[in-house]
Amino acid sequence: MTPDELKGLIRTVPDFPQPGIQFRDITTLISHPLGLAATVRLLAERAKALGAEAIAGMEARGFIFGAAVAVELELGFVPVRKPGKLPVDVLGIDYALEYGTDRLEIDPSAIAHGQTVVIVDDLIATGGTALAAAQLLRQAGATVDDALFVIDLPDLGGAARLRDASIEVSALMEFEGD
């Protein structure tokens, strides 16, 4: 399937989670066997071309695509977790959300110093979570120069924020507007 065909599998839910927001729901994509397989394959091709040595994904939807891409490429997967989920000493970072703050954590032993790690996630909106994940992975010693997404919402500026942090961004599809 092509990226345009995959875009047709994304459900738009108006006014969620609040009025005026057009929520891009991947449930309809991941429940479509050929769509899910094609999405993983396309992301994996891009990650391989970037020289990925490991794939990182943020909880929770980044786990879906990131782990599948890692399996496709026979690479390790680095889970970027919500706080309190890892049973070892962690590296953590707090970051700003639209309405407050959040925290991400990783097991630093999951990354070899200098290892090329490509971030994979379902969607980039404002870029706060992806930027925090990249900073955390870099703090652990990874080389993070690229992030791959299924969906980019360019009007929200997240891809530009990552590019400002020297992270190239690639997405399979874009949706204009919120």
Side-chain angles (χ1 to χ4, degrees), residues 154-168:
D155 294 346
L156 298 180
R161 283 185 70 196
L162 265 65
R163 289 183 184 108
D164 287 345
S166 300
I167 300 166
E168 287 303 313

Side-chain angles (χ1 to χ4, degrees), residues 119-167:
I119 294 172
V120 174
D121 204 1
D122 68 320
L123 180 139
I124 182 160
T126 64
T129 303
L131 188 57
Q135 291 170 337
L136 187 57
L137 292 161
R138 286 173 170 171
Q139 182 182 347
T143 299
V144 182
D145 295 329
D146 297 281
L148 305 175
F149 300 91
V150 178
I151 300 169
D152 180 14
L153 303 178
D155 294 346
L156 298 180
R161 283 185 70 196
L162 265 65
R163 289 183 184 108
D164 287 345
S166 300
I167 300 166

Side-chain angles (χ1 to χ4, degrees), residues 7 10-13 16-17 21-27 29-30 39 43 56-66 95 97-98 104 119-133 147-162 169-178:
K7 188 173 182 178
I10 303 294
R11 174 174 47 201
T12 299
V13 180
F16 183 83
I21 301 294
Q22 298 292 313
F23 185 79
R24 307 305 175 171
D25 183 15
I26 63 161
T27 304
L29 171 65
I30 62 175
T39 301
L43 291 169
M58 291 80 78
E59 194 167 347
R61 294 180 306 263
F63 286 10
I64 296 167
F65 294 104
Y95 65 101
L97 295 171
E98 189 174 357
L104 295 175
I119 294 172
V120 174
D121 204 1
D122 68 320
L123 180 139
I124 182 160
T126 64
T129 303
L131 188 57
L148 305 175
F149 300 91
V150 178
I151 300 169
D152 180 14
L153 303 178
D155 294 346
L156 298 180
R161 283 185 70 196
L162 265 65
V169 174
S170 177
L172 298 182
M173 63 191 77
E174 293 183 354
F175 286 91
E176 300 298 326
D178 299 7

Side-chain angles (χ1 to χ4, degrees), residues 92-132:
I93 189 169
D94 296 316
Y95 65 101
L97 295 171
E98 189 174 357
Y99 302 107
T101 61
D102 209 345
R103 182 172 177 82
L104 295 175
E105 297 178 343
I106 61 169
D107 173 356
S109 70
I111 298 164
H113 185 75
Q115 186 174 34
T116 300
V117 177
V118 173
I119 294 172
V120 174
D121 204 1
D122 68 320
L123 180 139
I124 182 160
T126 64
T129 303
L131 188 57

